[in-house]
Amino acid sequence: MIPIYSANEIKQWDAFSIQHEPIASIDLMERASQTFTQRFVAQFSPEQPVYVLAGKGNNGGDGLAIARMLRQHGFPVQVIMPSVHPLSHDCALNYQRWLALGGTVLQIDETNFQFPAIPADAILIDALFGTGLSRLLTGWMAAIVAHINSLPNTVVAVDVPSGLWCDGLTEGGAVIEADYCFTFQCIKLAFMLPENAGYVGEWEVLDIGLHPGFVQQHPPKAGFVTHPLAVLQTIQYDRFAHKGIRGHALLGAGSAAMMGAAVMATHAALRSGAGLVTVATDASAWPLIQQTNPEAICAAKGALANESFQLQRRIKAIGVGSGWVADEEHIQLLAWLLENSTVPLLIDATALSLLVDMLPILELAALRIPIVLTPHVGEFDRLFGYSGNHALRLEKAIHMAKHYRLCIVLKGAYSRIVLPDGHVYFNSTGNHGMAKAGSGDVLAGLMTGLLAQGYAVQDAAILAVWLHGSAGDAAAKAMGTEAMTAMDIAKHLPQAWKNLEIVKG
């Protein structure tokens, strides 16, 4: 897992490293710049001219050091600075080192706002402002940003694109629109927000060797899950395991017009590793379930509100909502589950809409059993109120998860798994080809199957979302993002499990 820290926490991590390695701040800057340079040299040709846009703070110091190192690698480099007074201490040192190497600096300011004619094949390195920026860029600095954004050149940002507030959104301010962002040590929360995609471009985290002791003493409240085995252990079964040990999942899914949702959720639950999967749905749909998923068991819809049935069948987790319609029957079923269920409960799709009028019951239910909500953005807003942007929505999801003691899986790119303690995990797998009807039903079935096996809610959510995205990536590789469907995601879950074993190995 790659940690996500705030700008203030990153500053503390730098200070911790300087104190405990120990290392001088200028040497830490040198190390970061060397790491950036190595990555840059691996991607770009020395035949391409480079223009470094350096500010007067430590981000500018990085830029000046990078300019020096790139020149030593044979790149033709020019440095542009909006001001050279006053420079931060480390920036001033690298400014002198650049001049000592024979480098020159083109200075621009409000009265001399002249950019050189930059060749179309030149690479622009943005090192104007870093994570310490605490104000919007306005006036002539905003004009510089606008000029850079108007150019056709490829832009590579050092750590963060200038003007971007790394802890969220920069509303109303000027921000560099980078094509690439090579960021230092950890992911910035801003990278996870759709509104910032046009600024960040393709991003990559570069390890600059900050002291690991900081992470041990200050565990992050958010992280990016590159593979789930970094944060959990999969359940291991011995040779004497039988289907009862592997757990029995009960799905409440499907209606006359949306039986496909039940089919996909069932298929995913069967691919989760659960020993038994029962589908509670209308009897008229049983033939379809058994034709498409012959391993599944069918039961009357009333099984969802039948305590003796669930005890007799040793139901270990229940997932509801996929393919439901919003009617009185389903309202009563959901209410019964919230008031009486004794096993983990996953609520998805239409059941989330029904939940709007049941929040007091939900709050009481979460005192008794683990509950997972799996909304997409629209479902989340209907349930908890409209949010004006994804940053506010994430804040609200954290608040609601803590208030109601829930696990909320807010689906989308970098799906967010928000835990009852407020911690957030962003998922790394998946692609835009998964934005198809039924994709959420696959996730709901898969996660219910994991819960039935005895995974803790946190682990089931992290593992299910990762496997779901990995299956989507496998489907995209096999048939392309345009043609793939949600059922293709379900069918590629075996490959996702194999991918997990590859990571494990």
Side-chain angles (χ1 to χ4, degrees), residues 81-83 108-113 138-146:
M81 297 187 73
S83 175
I108 55 177
D109 56 34
E110 291 180 272
T111 59
N112 179 30
F113 189 59
T138 57
W140 71 287
M141 290 307 305
I144 291 175
V145 170

Side-chain angles (χ1 to χ4, degrees), residues 98-116:
W98 170 247
L99 295 180
L101 192 66
T104 59
V105 174
L106 172 64
Q107 297 180 36
I108 55 177
D109 56 34
E110 291 180 272
T111 59
N112 179 30
F113 189 59
Q114 293 291 324
F115 268 79

Side-chain angles (χ1 to χ4, degrees), residues 130-177:
T131 59
L133 185 68
S134 59
R135 66 186 187 280
L136 297 178
L137 299 184
T138 57
W140 71 287
M141 290 307 305
I144 291 175
V145 170
H147 178 76
I148 294 169
N149 289 342
S150 72
L151 298 175
N153 303 82
T154 297
V155 178
V156 183
V158 178
D159 205 14
V160 295
S162 292
L164 183 67
W165 183 47
C166 74
D167 295 340
L169 298 179
T170 308
E171 296 184 288
V175 182
I176 292 288
E177 297 170 359

Side-chain angles (χ1 to χ4, degrees), residues 250-254 280-282 300-306 310 318 320-321 324-325 327-341 345 347 351 354 358:
L250 176 61
L251 297 176
T281 192
D282 293 326
K301 194 175 293 186
L304 293 169
N306 188 324
Q310 294 173 26
I318 300 172
V320 295
W324 270 12
V325 293
D327 60 15
E328 187 61 30
E329 178 186 21
H330 291 101
I331 290 172
Q332 293 302 320
L333 289 172
L334 180 59
W336 188 93
L337 287 167
L338 290 172
E339 293 172 346
N340 299 282
S341 182
L345 176 63
I347 303 174
L354 302 180
M358 301 184 190

Side-chain angles (χ1 to χ4, degrees), residues 11-33:
K11 183 178 180 180
Q12 293 175 23
W13 197 355
D14 283 342
F16 185 95
S17 300
I18 290 168
Q19 179 183 357
H20 290 84
E21 189 167 342
I23 185 173
S25 61
I26 186 64
D27 294 329
L28 184 59
M29 180 179 286
E30 192 79 357
R31 190 161 70 195
S33 301

